[in-house]
Amino acid sequence: MEFAKPLPTSLVKRYQGWRATTYSENKSWYMKLADEGQHPRGLIISCCDSRVNATSLFGADTGEFFIHRNIANLVPPYEPNRDYHGTSAAIEYAVNTLRVVNVIIMGHTQCGGVAGCHAMCSGQAPELEEDTSFVGRWMDILRPGFDRAVKSSDKEEEQVKELERQSVLVSLENLMTFPFVRDRVEAEDLTLHGISVNIKTGELSHYDPAQGQFIEI
Amino acid sequence: MEFAKPLPTSLVKRYQGWRATTYSENKSWYMKLADEGQHPRGLIISCCDSRVNATSLFGADTGEFFIHRNIANLVPPYEPNRDYHGTSAAIEYAVNTLRVVNVIIMGHTQCGGVAGCHAMCSGQAPELEEDTSFVGRWMDILRPGFDRAVKSSDKEEEQVKELERQSVLVSLENLMTFPFVRDRVEAEDLTLHGISVNIKTGELSHYDPAQGQFIEI
Amino acid sequence: MEFAKPLPTSLVKRYQGWRATTYSENKSWYMKLADEGQHPRGLIISCCDSRVNATSLFGADTGEFFIHRNIANLVPPYEPNRDYHGTSAAIEYAVNTLRVVNVIIMGHTQCGGVAGCHAMCSGQAPELEEDTSFVGRWMDILRPGFDRAVKSSDKEEEQVKELERQSVLVSLENLMTFPFVRDRVEAEDLTLHGISVNIKTGELSHYDPAQGQFIEI
Amino acid sequence: MEFAKPLPTSLVKRYQGWRATTYSENKSWYMKLADEGQHPRGLIISCCDSRVNATSLFGADTGEFFIHRNIANLVPPYEPNRDYHGTSAAIEYAVNTLRVVNVIIMGHTQCGGVAGCHAMCSGQAPELEEDTSFVGRWMDILRPGFDRAVKSSDKEEEQVKELERQSVLVSLENLMTFPFVRDRVEAEDLTLHGISVNIKTGELSHYDPAQGQFIEI
């Protein structure tokens, strides 16, 4: 492990500031959360993108949301085949063990993963089609959304925007292929939500099943 | 998609508050990040746990860190086999496309995933050994750390604490099995860091290669 | 006062969101309420329970209800003995000074105070019988309801449900021991209402004097 | 009980709207809160005033705060004398049973109770000095604050404003006379906070122990 390095000093200083302020003023809360365990209300599945921060957007307190972040906020279909399924494990733990009552899929505009998927599916990114491309294989999950995006418009720019929304919708559909999710949704014991944030304008949209489309809040 | 629900009103209100304050005062920054794309400094791989928030701990600004969160902050070994590898995809994208210069693996105390792994490996959690257990199969990644944890102490409590540290060390080792990570590390173009936060006391430790162990900062 | 702490930052941010949205859009209303004083329509006496929110349930606007909240929504009998009577003071101020026209006693299911009272009255909670137990002494107000609850059923679960309803009925009875309440009720200048909300199902019941029982709305 | 009346139709309609919207969209959350019990983070002690709504101001979710409301947000001194002490019971239940980690005393401007106290203490409200005045006897709790308010200014208007702040400070002092509060505060396991909201301007101040005064946020 000689390759690992100590934490850069600039981050050490920032941590020390956090401990003297945020931790210090919430010490009793952290102690309680450590002693009694976490009881989050919801699971948020969001993108790794550095410009998206669900905790800030929802003014969420420590302990309020269990948050899984992967590229393009994708949920793969239910497939219990002994492989490493980090996303499915997070869903299983949140839904079955923590008994969260909401699952929120949070997409966003200008998503690099979605843009790559559009390029790949339209034959413009052969490197993503390689077996060795982890990003390409991961974005395969979104392929069912590509056809719908292409049908939605002739313009590539519009198709990419639609594919961003599809990253939320395909994930919601795949969520329902998990028997333990479907059972709780049908028992009205768990609700699923699809939202998308516009990085540039700060606008948030949510999927409205009554209108069958995303509506700006 | 009739099963999806609009966002609960309480979260809508919180979002509206965010937009009128945080977004509003940083609008030009969000616009720039949207127009020019993200240029994060580092990749943080952290747990989904609702009590852990790297952004807060590092006082990180929007755009500063690309953050992947999964159960127990695990990195699987390099295995380009066409499966869905969400974690490997996040690493590939951060290291190869975004060209981050740091990868930080951030563990924590009281980790439910690690406790489950210890129970499973010591034969006390048969349900996690089932093929259909996504959490169990995901925690298989940490099995190499279990033997070391057992050797470290006779007391189960101490073993679990060691296994929490091992969740960081095994991930660092697995990171180095990715050729594109190893190449950049060897070229001194990328640094890897292992840290662990104590939820209760707020203390942060980092792995110090000189001493071969975690040192409290 | 060195023991007091500033408000935690997470709540500061939430407040700032409120001020930039809810306050901002209702500014003229808040200014009018500040300049002209409050003129609430009714007094609601409700439980402190974090799961009960009369303002939300009645879609109440700022200024509409004067709300007193104590454990188990209890009204003690009229007893002007120079002690600190917070509930009686709230009733006196609402009925005599603000001249509200409704007093609503709002009970709820799964009330911890009521469950404690049942345990105490059936000899299962000696700690609540201590002189030093504020909760125990406060729940003494509900003792007259315990006998009726016991008569209503042999099953403890049903008795507790009846005792929840009795917390509303005993309070209504005690309200009528206040001369200034009784006078206005008899002058048909003030009405009293007893309601109970089921936390789990969201159902609201109200006491119907014609049927002598609670009726689901 | 023939004096009780059914709920007015206008409130029935509002409730029905709440159940079809807010309850409906949060059904799974209410069910969980009913099944698992409440786990609020903090206790808020606030005034009954219809113009003050802590839940709205903090964008609080159902289940987040245990809320006691009485006239002028007062806490009496610790006095376990077998009387009905509704406020002390609420504190005991929140601190000892629910194990909240914050107690927030929330005052406000234009408080009728505080104005009455100032009038009473300066001899301008003999009716409040009667033994039979519940409001007067309740406001006796604030008498120690009156002397400080008088010393702070020659102008009555300024004295009343200071007395509003004193309603928070006297309550904080009295909180510390409860042994079970003091013990947890000294163990850094519970924090106390004093805040005051300006009804007219929406500004929130908090007591800053470093400066020994209220500071606008």
Side-chain angles (χ1 to χ4, degrees):
Chain A
M1 297 288 289
E2 65 293 344
F3 57 82
K5 296 274 183 264
L7 197 62
T9 309
S10 60
L11 293 180
V12 167
K13 294 216 165 187
R14 295 237 208 122
Y15 150 69
Q16 288 167 334
W18 170 83
R19 186 139 188 262
T21 55
T22 303
Y23 172 77
S24 178
E25 71 178 6
N26 293 289
K27 185 179 175 179
S28 53
W29 181 231
Y30 284 101
M31 288 171 71
K32 185 179 170 81
L33 285 173
D35 288 341
E36 301 183 3
Q38 61 177 330
H39 295 86
R41 171 183 179 148
L43 161 65
I44 296 178
I45 297 178
S46 163
C47 188
C48 301
D49 194 299
S50 64
R51 299 166 295 182
V52 175
N53 186 342
T55 305
S56 169
L57 191 140
F58 287 129
D61 207 345
T62 306
E64 205 166 358
F65 290 106
F66 191 77
I67 302 179
H68 173 59
R69 294 178 69 169
N70 64 37
I71 289 188
N73 40 273
L74 293 177
V75 173
Y78 178 73
E79 205 172 3
N81 60 357
R82 295 196 58 86
D83 276 332
Y84 300 140
H85 287 295
T87 299
S88 302
I91 294 167
E92 182 183 277
Y93 191 76
V95 171
N96 286 354
T97 301
L98 297 174
R99 308 287 304 170
V100 297
V101 300
N102 308 126
V103 180
I104 300 173
I105 308 289
M106 179 169 169
H108 69 98
T109 58
Q110 277 92 16
C111 182
V114 169
C117 180
H118 188 278
M120 174 177 74
C121 293
S122 42
Q124 300 166 45
E127 75 283 7
L128 287 174
E129 300 192 59
E130 305 276 345
D131 279 11
T132 53
S133 168
F134 290 115
V135 173
R137 300 296 59 72
W138 178 250
M139 295 310 304
D140 281 343
I141 298 171
L142 186 51
R143 280 186 184 269
F146 177 72
D147 295 336
R148 302 180 210 160
V150 166
K151 281 181 198 147
S152 74
S153 172
D154 288 341
K155 295 189 188 162
E156 188 174 303
E157 193 185 337
E158 292 303 314
Q159 290 176 4
V160 172
K161 285 184 186 171
E162 178 57 27
L163 195 55
E164 285 166 351
R165 289 186 286 265
Q166 289 294 331
S167 77
V168 176
L169 299 180
V170 167
S171 292
L172 284 171
E173 286 166 352
N174 285 346
L175 261 179
M176 285 294 270
T177 64
F178 287 70
F180 50 82
V181 170
R182 172 174 286 275
D183 285 353
R184 286 192 60 199
V185 168
E186 288 176 351
E188 297 192 6
D189 181 37
L190 176 73
T191 55
L192 311 184
H193 311 269
I195 63 178
S196 181
V197 63
N198 185 316
I199 286 178
K200 187 164 188 168
T201 64
E203 288 163 345
L204 191 70
S205 304
H206 55 170
Y207 181 77
D208 180 350
Q211 304 190 46
Q213 60 181 327
F214 279 84
I215 303 297
E216 198 173 300
I217 292 175
Chain B
M1 296 288 290
E2 66 290 346
F3 58 82
K5 297 272 184 264
L7 196 63
T9 311
S10 59
L11 293 180
V12 167
K13 292 218 165 187
R14 296 243 206 115
Y15 149 69
Q16 287 167 335
W18 169 84
R19 185 141 188 261
T21 55
T22 304
Y23 172 78
S24 179
E25 70 181 8
N26 294 289
K27 187 177 176 180
S28 52
W29 180 230
Y30 284 101
M31 288 174 73
K32 182 180 170 77
L33 284 171
D35 287 341
E36 301 182 2
Q38 62 178 328
H39 295 86
R41 166 186 183 150
L43 161 65
I44 296 177
I45 297 177
S46 163
C47 187
C48 302
D49 194 299
S50 64
R51 300 166 295 183
V52 175
N53 186 341
T55 306
S56 170
L57 191 139
F58 287 130
D61 206 346
T62 305
E64 206 165 358
F65 291 105
F66 191 77
I67 301 179
H68 172 60
R69 294 178 69 169
N70 64 38
I71 288 189
N73 40 271
L74 293 177
V75 174
Y78 179 73
E79 206 172 1
N81 61 355
R82 295 195 58 84
D83 276 332
Y84 301 139
H85 287 294
T87 299
S88 303
I91 295 167
E92 180 183 279
Y93 192 77
V95 172
N96 287 354
T97 302
L98 297 175
R99 307 289 301 171
V100 297
V101 300
N102 310 125
V103 181
I104 299 172
I105 308 290
M106 180 170 167
H108 68 100
T109 58
Q110 275 93 12
C111 182
V114 169
C117 181
H118 188 278
M120 175 177 74
C121 292
S122 43
Q124 301 166 44
E127 73 283 6
L128 288 174
E129 300 193 60
E130 305 274 345
D131 280 11
T132 51
S133 169
F134 289 117
V135 172
R137 300 298 57 73
W138 178 249
M139 295 309 304
D140 281 343
I141 297 172
L142 186 50
R143 280 186 183 267
F146 177 71
D147 295 335
R148 303 180 210 158
V150 167
K151 281 181 199 148
S152 74
S153 172
D154 287 341
K155 294 188 189 163
E156 188 174 304
E157 192 184 339
E158 292 304 313
Q159 289 176 5
V160 171
K161 285 183 185 170
E162 177 58 27
L163 195 54
E164 284 166 353
R165 289 186 286 265
Q166 289 295 330
S167 76
V168 177
L169 299 180
V170 167
S171 292
L172 284 171
E173 287 167 352
N174 286 345
L175 261 179
M176 285 294 272
T177 65
F178 287 70
F180 51 81
V181 170
R182 173 172 285 276
D183 287 352
R184 285 191 59 199
V185 168
E186 289 176 353
E188 297 191 1
D189 179 37
L190 176 72
T191 56
L192 311 185
H193 311 270
I195 62 178
S196 181
V197 65
N198 184 317
I199 286 179
K200 187 163 187 170
T201 65
E203 288 162 345
L204 190 70
S205 305
H206 56 170
Y207 181 77
D208 180 349
Q211 304 189 47
Q213 59 181 328
F214 278 85
I215 304 297
E216 198 174 298
I217 291 177
Chain C
M1 296 288 290
E2 65 289 348
F3 58 82
K5 296 274 183 263
L7 196 63
T9 311
S10 57
L11 293 180
V12 167
K13 291 219 166 187
R14 297 241 207 116
Y15 149 69
Q16 288 168 334
W18 169 83
R19 185 142 189 261
T21 55
T22 303
Y23 173 78
S24 179
E25 70 182 7
N26 293 289
K27 187 178 176 180
S28 53
W29 180 229
Y30 284 100
M31 289 174 74
K32 182 180 170 77
L33 284 171
D35 288 343
E36 301 182 1
Q38 61 177 329
H39 295 85
R41 165 187 182 150
L43 161 65
I44 295 177
I45 297 178
S46 162
C47 187
C48 302
D49 195 300
S50 64
R51 299 166 296 183
V52 175
N53 186 341
T55 306
S56 170
L57 191 140
F58 288 129
D61 205 347
T62 306
E64 205 165 0
F65 290 105
F66 191 76
I67 301 179
H68 172 60
R69 294 178 70 168
N70 64 38
I71 289 188
N73 40 272
L74 293 177
V75 174
Y78 179 73
E79 204 171 2
N81 61 356
R82 294 195 58 84
D83 276 332
Y84 299 139
H85 288 296
T87 299
S88 303
I91 295 167
E92 181 183 280
Y93 191 77
V95 172
N96 287 353
T97 301
L98 297 174
R99 308 288 301 172
V100 297
V101 301
N102 310 125
V103 181
I104 299 171
I105 309 289
M106 178 169 169
H108 69 99
T109 58
Q110 276 93 12
C111 181
V114 169
C117 180
H118 188 279
M120 175 177 73
C121 293
S122 44
Q124 301 166 42
E127 73 284 4
L128 288 174
E129 300 193 58
E130 305 274 346
D131 279 11
T132 53
S133 169
F134 290 116
V135 172
R137 300 297 58 72
W138 179 250
M139 295 309 304
D140 280 343
I141 298 172
L142 186 51
R143 280 187 183 268
F146 177 72
D147 295 335
R148 302 180 209 158
V150 167
K151 282 182 197 146
S152 74
S153 172
D154 287 342
K155 295 190 187 161
E156 189 174 303
E157 192 184 337
E158 292 303 316
Q159 290 176 5
V160 172
K161 285 183 186 171
E162 177 58 28
L163 195 54
E164 284 166 352
R165 290 186 285 265
Q166 288 294 330
S167 76
V168 177
L169 300 180
V170 168
S171 293
L172 285 171
E173 287 165 352
N174 286 345
L175 261 180
M176 285 293 271
T177 65
F178 287 70
F180 51 83
V181 171
R182 173 172 284 275
D183 287 354
R184 286 192 58 200
V185 169
E186 289 176 355
E188 296 192 1
D189 180 37
L190 175 72
T191 56
L192 311 185
H193 311 269
I195 62 177
S196 182
V197 64
N198 184 316
I199 286 178
K200 187 162 186 170
T201 64
E203 289 162 344
L204 190 71
S205 305
H206 56 168
Y207 181 78
D208 181 349
Q211 304 189 46
Q213 58 180 330
F214 279 84
I215 303 297
E216 198 174 298
I217 291 177
Chain D
M1 297 287 291
E2 66 292 346
F3 58 82
K5 296 273 183 267
L7 198 62
T9 309
S10 60
L11 293 180
V12 167
K13 295 217 165 186
R14 295 242 207 118
Y15 150 70
Q16 288 167 334
W18 170 83
R19 185 140 188 261
T21 56
T22 303
Y23 173 78
S24 177
E25 72 177 6
N26 292 289
K27 185 179 175 181
S28 52
W29 181 230
Y30 285 100
M31 288 171 72
K32 183 180 171 82
L33 285 173
D35 287 341
E36 301 183 3
Q38 60 178 330
H39 296 87
R41 171 183 180 150
L43 161 66
I44 296 177
I45 297 178
S46 163
C47 187
C48 302
D49 194 298
S50 64
R51 299 165 295 182
V52 175
N53 186 341
T55 306
S56 169
L57 191 140
F58 287 129
D61 207 345
T62 306
E64 204 165 1
F65 291 105
F66 191 77
I67 302 179
H68 172 60
R69 294 177 71 170
N70 64 38
I71 289 188
N73 41 272
L74 292 177
V75 174
Y78 177 73
E79 206 172 0
N81 60 357
R82 295 196 58 84
D83 276 333
Y84 300 140
H85 287 294
T87 299
S88 302
I91 294 167
E92 182 183 278
Y93 191 77
V95 171
N96 286 354
T97 301
L98 298 175
R99 306 289 302 173
V100 297
V101 300
N102 308 125
V103 180
I104 300 172
I105 308 289
M106 179 169 168
H108 68 100
T109 58
Q110 276 94 14
C111 181
V114 169
C117 180
H118 189 277
M120 175 176 74
C121 293
S122 43
Q124 301 167 44
E127 74 283 6
L128 287 174
E129 300 193 58
E130 305 274 347
D131 280 11
T132 52
S133 168
F134 290 116
V135 172
R137 300 296 60 71
W138 178 250
M139 294 309 304
D140 280 343
I141 298 172
L142 186 52
R143 281 186 184 267
F146 177 71
D147 293 337
R148 302 180 209 159
V150 166
K151 282 182 196 145
S152 73
S153 172
D154 288 342
K155 296 189 187 161
E156 188 175 303
E157 190 185 340
E158 292 304 313
Q159 290 177 4
V160 172
K161 285 184 185 170
E162 177 58 28
L163 196 54
E164 283 166 353
R165 289 186 285 265
Q166 289 294 330
S167 76
V168 177
L169 299 180
V170 167
S171 292
L172 284 171
E173 286 166 352
N174 285 345
L175 262 179
M176 285 293 271
T177 65
F178 287 70
F180 50 81
V181 170
R182 173 173 284 276
D183 287 352
R184 286 191 59 199
V185 168
E186 288 176 351
E188 296 193 2
D189 180 38
L190 176 72
T191 55
L192 311 184
H193 310 270
I195 62 177
S196 181
V197 64
N198 185 316
I199 287 178
K200 187 164 186 168
T201 65
E203 288 162 345
L204 191 70
S205 305
H206 56 168
Y207 181 78
D208 181 349
Q211 304 190 47
Q213 59 181 328
F214 279 84
I215 304 296
E216 198 174 298
I217 291 176

